[in-house]
């Protein structure tokens, strides 16, 4: 995706956020408006979790949705909503600092990924996730921890289902 398209998506997300967050930030399925709204409360800036990670990847996955299988497209919708809902308790006021908000957000990733069906996606969808997120991000500390937890949860589910057979 071009840098210009990404900038346009961020601008549109910010405009939608202004429309949706007059009184409070509330996750809306298939929308990324929650993240700019959350950043308006916390003021973490372009490198903070709400804009630098949440909104960035939310808009990237939205823009690439058609490149996923139907199951992958449903997973994108479900995981976006789950990740935003996990942060909703922080959306009424700045109750923690930006670092704690980021820690809480990353702490929700594995559960949201697994609970919304990541483990059952097609390998082509997994590869698309890797392509969107990028190797640099996948090798960052917070991301590695979420990846390991996700892999562990997927393995637990596989072992559980193997024992049922």
């Amino acid at each position: 995706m071009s840098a210009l398209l990404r900038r346009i998506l961020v601008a549109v997300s910010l405009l939608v956020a202004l429309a949706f967050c007059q009184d409070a930030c509330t996750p809306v399925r298939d929308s990324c408006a929650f993240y700019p709204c959350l950043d308006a409360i916390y003021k973490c800036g372009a490198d903070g979790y709400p804009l630098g990670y949440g909104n960035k990847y939310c808009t990237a996955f939205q823009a690439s949705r058609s490149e996923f299988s139907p199951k992958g497209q449903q997973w994108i919708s479900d995981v976006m909503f789950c990740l935003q809902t996990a942060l909703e308790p922080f959306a009424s006021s700045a109750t923690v600092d930006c670092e704690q908000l980021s820690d809480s957000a990353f702490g929700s990733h594995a559960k949201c990924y697994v609970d919304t069906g990541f483990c059952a996606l097609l390998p082509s969808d997994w590869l698309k996730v890797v392509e969107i997120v990028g190797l640099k991000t996948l090798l960052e500390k917070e991301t590695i921890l979420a990846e390991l937890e996700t892999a562990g949860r997927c393995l637990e589910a596989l072992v559980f289902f193997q024992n049922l057979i």
Side-chain angles (χ1 to χ4, degrees):
M1 174 181 353
S2 73
L4 176 62
L5 181 57
R6 283 193 182 132
R7 286 187 185 125
I8 290 170
L9 287 172
V10 169
V12 169
S13 291
L14 291 171
L15 291 173
V16 172
L18 292 175
F20 278 106
C21 71
Q22 298 301 323
D23 297 318
C25 296
T26 303
V28 176
R29 185 170 284 279
D30 298 321
S31 170
C32 298
F34 176 78
Y35 292 111
C37 188
L38 191 63
D39 192 67
I41 295 169
Y42 283 88
K43 299 177 183 17
C44 300
D47 293 329
Y49 183 89
L51 296 180
Y53 200 94
N55 194 64
K56 175 182 176 179
Y57 291 109
C58 184
T59 56
F61 275 93
Q62 271 189 324
S64 300
R65 182 181 295 216
S66 65
E67 299 171 31
F68 283 78
S69 71
K71 193 172 195 174
Q73 291 176 26
Q74 184 61 52
W75 174 78
I76 290 170
S77 178
D78 293 344
V79 79
M80 284 171 43
F81 190 67
C82 182
L83 291 168
Q84 293 174 40
T85 301
L87 292 177
E88 191 173 16
F90 300 99
S92 57
S93 64
T95 55
V96 297
D97 63 27
C98 290
E99 185 177 340
Q100 292 167 317
L101 179 67
S102 178
D103 290 346
S104 292
F106 280 111
S108 71
H109 282 207
K111 182 174 180 1
C112 282
Y113 270 52
V114 173
D115 289 354
T116 58
F118 179 82
C119 305
L121 292 178
L122 296 173
S124 60
D125 288 331
W126 290 339
L127 291 173
K128 192 68 190 167
V129 170
V130 170
E131 180 184 323
I132 292 169
V133 175
L135 289 177
K136 180 181 176 199
T137 300
L138 289 171
L139 296 175
E140 292 174 357
K141 177 186 157 198
E142 296 87 355
T143 312
I144 289 174
L145 294 174
E147 292 163 21
L148 291 172
E149 186 178 347
T150 300
R153 287 174 179 245
C154 286
L155 187 58
E156 286 174 9
L158 178 65
V159 168
F160 175 77
F161 288 115
Q162 289 280 337
N163 289 332
L164 291 178
I165 297 175

